[in-house]
Amino acid sequence: MTRLFPWVALAVFASIPLWLHDPYLLNAFITTGIFIIAAMSLNLLLGYTGQLSLGHVAFFGIGAYTSALTSLGFDVELIGGLRVVHEPWPVWTGLVLGTLVAGLCGYIVGKLSFRVRGAYFVIVTISFAEVVRLVALNWVELTQGPLALTSIPPMTLGLPGLGYFDFYSKQSYFYLVLAIVVISYVIIRRLVYSRVGRAMVALKENESLAVSVGIDVTRYLVLAAVVSAGIAGAAGSLYAHYLKIIDPDVFLFLYTITMVIMVITGGKGTLAGPIVGGLIFGFIPVVARSFAAPEVQWILYGLFMILIVFVLPQGIVPAVENLFTARSKAEFPASPKAKIQDAP
Amino acid sequence: MNAAQPIAARPALSIEHIAVHFGGLVAIADMNFVVNEGEVVSLIGPNGAGKTTAFNIITGFLRPSQGEVRYRGTPLTHLKPHQVAELGLVRTFQRTSVFQSVSVFENVMIGLHRRGRSRLWDTLLALPRERESENDLRAKAHEILEFVGIERRANELAGSLAYGEQRLLGVALALAAEPSMLLLDEPVSGMNATETARFMQLLGRLRKLGVTILLVEHDMPMVMGVSDRIVVLNYGRIIAEGPPAAIQGNPEVIRAYLGQGARKRAGD
Ligand SMILES: Nc1ncnc2c1ncn2[C@@H]1O[C@H](COP(=O)(O)OP(=O)(O)OP(=O)(O)O)[C@@H](O)[C@H]1O
Ligand SMILES: [Mg+2]
């Protein structure tokens, strides 16, 4: 039953473009899907290692810019008159490079900040995001600064000789985003249910005890940061090639907050949490738009968030899971486990 | 009890001129002692004598102000705790320490970390080695829970166990890390008499497996019963060292600790 659930969910989502033709709603699904990927990546850090990356949008933005620049090409002069010219590459290499460069940044930030963790990590990530935003804003030669990178080509996939496939239509882009959601989900799931995931949870729960049995803290925190940043970078790349225009506003703190809200309300430290939270907070503006003014939309957004955090502090997914386990316990009151538990 | 030591005792752990200062407080002053392979040595002394501090130094949780610790010849002074554990030197904690919010079984699986053989690629690509490794670990986890005697609690949350069982789980976690030497910090504190007796049997079985043991414990009957040698610490200084019989009769030890301990227990 619970094993089947992800497959059912996948089938339902995969069917959406078949019956939903409203471009506005498809658009909402695509952007929500992109943010779900980012939220999933944040959840790996926040939910499983307990480290809050409040600059997570930096990895998203780095993925977006790297991917866009890879496919657009650039011509910049570095210090000392060194000129770097990059001819446009196939768009899919942008997705790969965006992921890798963001992952590399995750590695650097992780190495720098995981010596002293907790609040320090939060500060390093916020500062990192701000620095990257300033670079994007001021290195006009590379990024066009506030003028934005425009005419970013749409995503195409393919190799010479094997044919190309472009994701120009909303339907096809929906499937591309869904595919990346699934790949990210599978990567995170495999990590979490492995020795690596156990090490992460151990570090979050009781670091002294974890290191006493030989778990290398830095190694696993940096690994989580790399994977998390890489996936966020992939989301950023999808974002850039979907909107076809990006400016330094992709680094807005608001986006990080959106991801955090998605993770916390959905249930941090659960696989489905960011997806559920992402769908809810991705669609509140869409639904509210039909009957409320923009300010009212934001108020609704805030109210809904406060409501969930107060009523279900663990998030929606853990609450639903508890409901299920409570019911299955009630169905089998005489299980041997229950007896042992009741014994004094 | 005070079994004949092997003729050529090989030192496993050696503490050489260790001193620890916390600001002006001298927690340990020029500490020297050796634990030989396969030996059970107890480190005793009144509260605040520096026993836990010594454990923290040995296992890399604290850096000494001076001196050197060696395990099987390797200097430990600059190693991180997880690197010390990798050498086979594993400790337990004085304050009950388990991963509260996961099951007893998962706790041991975490403890087995060092024994997993799968690499990152095996995990990400779900290669056969990942499943084999996980299956092996699961089998070992059951073995360890059985060895310690909390097998039937496997699926319960660690935090929901009774106190004595949590202490046992702490030992199971340490055993999972495959120690060649085990450092136990007051393992039976908070256990009832039956549990303590069972724990002593467990120690006996561990020693048969060739695990070297350094024990910190206030329970004197147990210390006298299981130790080959005893090191007595008072205000950070070693005041006596020797087989249990000699320690029991040592007037300085009685004055500093045993007498006080007896008084304290009577007062409880
Ligand atoms: N991190 C620390 N900072 C400052 N002082 C410390 C620290 N850790 C221990 N101490 C002090 O060092 C001395 C030795 O403490 P330690 O915990 O090693 O004693 P112990 O022998 O384990 O005592 P007990 O039997 O109560 O566990 C005590 O006076 C303690 O207050
Ligand atoms: Mg102590």
Side-chain angles (χ1 to χ4, degrees):
Chain A
M1 168 68 199
T2 30
R3 274 173 165 272
L4 274 180
F5 190 76
W7 294 103
V8 175
L10 177 60
V12 170
F13 283 118
S15 76
I16 286 173
L18 304 180
W19 47 265
L20 184 77
H21 301 293
D22 178 354
Y24 176 68
L25 283 178
L26 264 183
N27 170 66
F29 268 110
I30 290 168
T31 48
T32 300
I34 291 171
F35 271 94
I36 284 177
I37 298 170
M40 281 162 64
S41 76
L42 179 71
N43 183 40
L44 181 63
L45 268 178
L46 179 59
Y48 291 97
T49 70
Q51 301 297 318
L52 176 58
S53 162
L54 269 190
H56 211 60
V57 76
F59 305 118
F60 182 86
I62 286 168
Y65 267 100
T66 306
S67 191
L69 288 169
T70 304
S71 56
L72 284 171
F74 54 82
D75 179 351
V76 292
E77 209 167 285
L78 299 177
I79 314 150
L82 183 69
R83 203 158 150 239
V84 180
V85 183
H86 168 73
E87 294 300 327
W89 282 3
V91 185
W92 65 267
T93 59
L95 176 58
V96 174
L97 278 181
T99 307
L100 292 180
V101 172
L104 180 69
C105 292
Y107 178 82
I108 294 165
V109 169
K111 274 280 182 196
L112 282 180
S113 55
F114 281 144
R115 271 169 201 288
V116 196
R117 283 174 291 281
Y120 193 78
F121 180 69
V122 177
I123 293 167
V124 170
T125 49
I126 293 180
S127 319
F128 177 70
E130 189 54 20
V131 168
V132 178
R133 189 183 71 85
L134 289 175
V135 170
L137 195 61
N138 293 303
W139 195 357
V140 178
E141 203 185 1
L142 180 70
T143 65
Q144 309 294 320
L147 293 180
L149 280 177
T150 51
S151 325
I152 301 170
M155 186 61 77
T156 52
L157 208 58
L159 287 168
L162 286 171
Y164 286 86
F165 191 82
D166 73 64
F167 296 89
Y168 214 86
S169 70
K170 286 210 163 38
Q171 276 79 7
S172 60
Y173 216 85
F174 178 96
Y175 284 116
L176 177 66
V177 171
L178 185 62
I180 305 289
V181 168
V182 170
I183 292 171
S184 308
Y185 181 91
V186 169
I187 288 175
I188 292 171
R189 197 199 131 86
R190 283 182 181 167
L191 281 181
V192 165
Y193 286 108
S194 76
R195 181 168 162 259
V196 175
R198 286 194 297 268
M200 290 175 185
V201 170
L203 293 172
K204 187 182 69 159
E205 275 256 318
N206 188 335
E207 187 176 322
S208 306
L209 186 57
V211 298
S212 81
V213 294
I215 295 170
D216 181 350
V217 195
T218 328
R219 182 189 148 98
Y220 288 98
L221 288 182
V222 170
L223 177 67
V226 170
V227 175
S228 175
I231 293 175
S237 165
L238 291 176
Y239 184 80
H241 296 285
Y242 182 64
L243 294 189
K244 305 190 184 68
I245 171 169
I246 46 165
D247 63 20
D249 277 356
V250 288
F251 293 105
L252 278 183
F253 190 55
L254 180 69
Y255 290 140
T256 300
I257 295 303
T258 308
M259 296 175 206
V260 173
I261 290 171
M262 289 172 168
V263 171
I264 303 268
T265 53
K268 66 177 158 55
T270 62
L271 289 169
I275 301 176
V276 173
L279 283 172
I280 292 174
F281 285 92
F283 275 86
I284 285 179
V286 177
V287 175
R289 202 176 108 124
S290 56
F291 61 85
E295 314 82 66
V296 183
Q297 286 175 36
W298 282 109
I299 292 170
L300 279 176
Y301 194 95
L303 281 180
F304 216 71
M305 186 187 86
I306 293 167
L307 189 76
I308 294 178
V309 171
F310 266 88
V311 180
L312 309 168
Q314 298 294 313
I316 297 168
V317 171
V320 173
E321 274 173 358
N322 284 344
L323 208 69
F324 268 90
T325 45
R327 188 179 302 165
S328 63
K329 253 189 202 148
E331 278 172 25
F332 309 104
S335 79
K337 199 177 137 196
K339 262 189 204 149
I340 291 170
Q341 258 172 347
D342 294 342
Chain B
M1 196 200 290
N2 162 25
Q5 277 178 36
I7 303 195
R10 279 177 306 134
L13 182 75
S14 50
I15 317 280
E16 299 159 10
H17 302 293
I18 288 292
V20 183
H21 301 198
F22 292 118
L25 177 83
V26 180
I28 293 180
D30 196 39
M31 176 188 267
N32 291 282
F33 70 89
V34 169
V35 181
N36 294 314
E37 295 282 354
E39 232 183 347
V40 177
V41 172
S42 289
L43 185 60
I44 64 170
N47 296 106
K51 306 176 298 287
T52 300
T53 304
F55 268 26
N56 286 339
I57 295 289
I58 296 168
T59 49
F61 282 83
L62 274 179
R63 299 268 166 257
S65 313
Q66 71 177 55
E68 183 90 89
V69 179
R70 283 170 205 281
Y71 184 63
R72 294 183 166 173
T74 313
L76 306 182
T77 325
H78 296 288
L79 297 187
K80 292 186 192 156
H82 77 265
Q83 294 168 318
V84 175
E86 258 154 45
L87 293 175
L89 196 56
V90 183
R91 69 169 306 173
T92 64
F93 293 84
Q94 178 171 358
R95 282 215 224 117
T96 308
S97 218
V98 297
F99 300 108
Q100 299 272 337
S101 70
V102 299
S103 73
V104 169
F105 185 76
E106 270 307 284
N107 263 268
V108 182
M109 288 295 278
I110 293 170
L112 285 164
H113 182 81
R114 238 156 58 71
R115 296 205 223 177
R117 280 171 296 105
S118 58
R119 310 296 308 260
L120 187 57
W121 294 124
D122 301 323
T123 304
L124 287 178
L125 303 175
L127 298 181
R129 182 145 49 146
E130 170 74 13
R131 202 168 332 119
E132 283 164 26
S133 170
E134 286 291 290
N135 286 341
D136 287 356
L137 293 186
R138 259 178 241 127
K140 279 190 186 130
H142 281 296
E143 251 171 56
I144 289 166
L145 285 174
E146 219 164 310
F147 185 83
V148 173
I150 48 173
E151 163 85 343
R152 65 198 185 109
R153 297 282 192 245
N155 295 319
E156 281 165 47
L157 276 189
S160 74
L161 292 188
Y163 191 74
E165 284 176 326
Q166 290 202 17
R167 309 268 339 163
L168 281 178
L169 179 56
V171 176
L173 260 168
L175 288 181
E178 210 165 35
S180 50
M181 176 163 183
L182 197 55
L183 285 75
L184 300 164
D185 200 347
E186 302 195 18
V188 302
S189 74
M191 284 192 190
N192 60 33
T194 334
E195 287 171 329
T196 303
R198 281 226 318 264
F199 190 81
M200 283 175 72
Q201 287 174 2
L202 180 66
L203 275 187
R205 276 182 288 151
L206 277 174
R207 129 176 256 162
K208 276 203 199 95
L209 293 175
V211 180
T212 310
I213 292 167
L214 181 60
L215 175 70
V216 164
E217 189 47 70
H218 285 296
D219 183 322
M220 278 312 120
M222 165 162 170
V223 168
M224 297 301 165
V226 300
S227 316
D228 296 317
R229 277 188 305 125
I230 298 175
V231 176
V232 189
L233 207 57
N234 193 25
Y235 290 114
R237 284 171 200 284
I238 294 180
I239 56 167
E241 186 179 337
I247 293 297
Q248 263 170 318
N250 182 316
E252 200 182 347
V253 176
I254 293 172
R255 191 156 38 80
Y257 180 51
L258 294 179
Q260 179 226 31
R263 265 204 309 281
K264 211 181 73 184
R265 216 159 290 124
D268 278 350

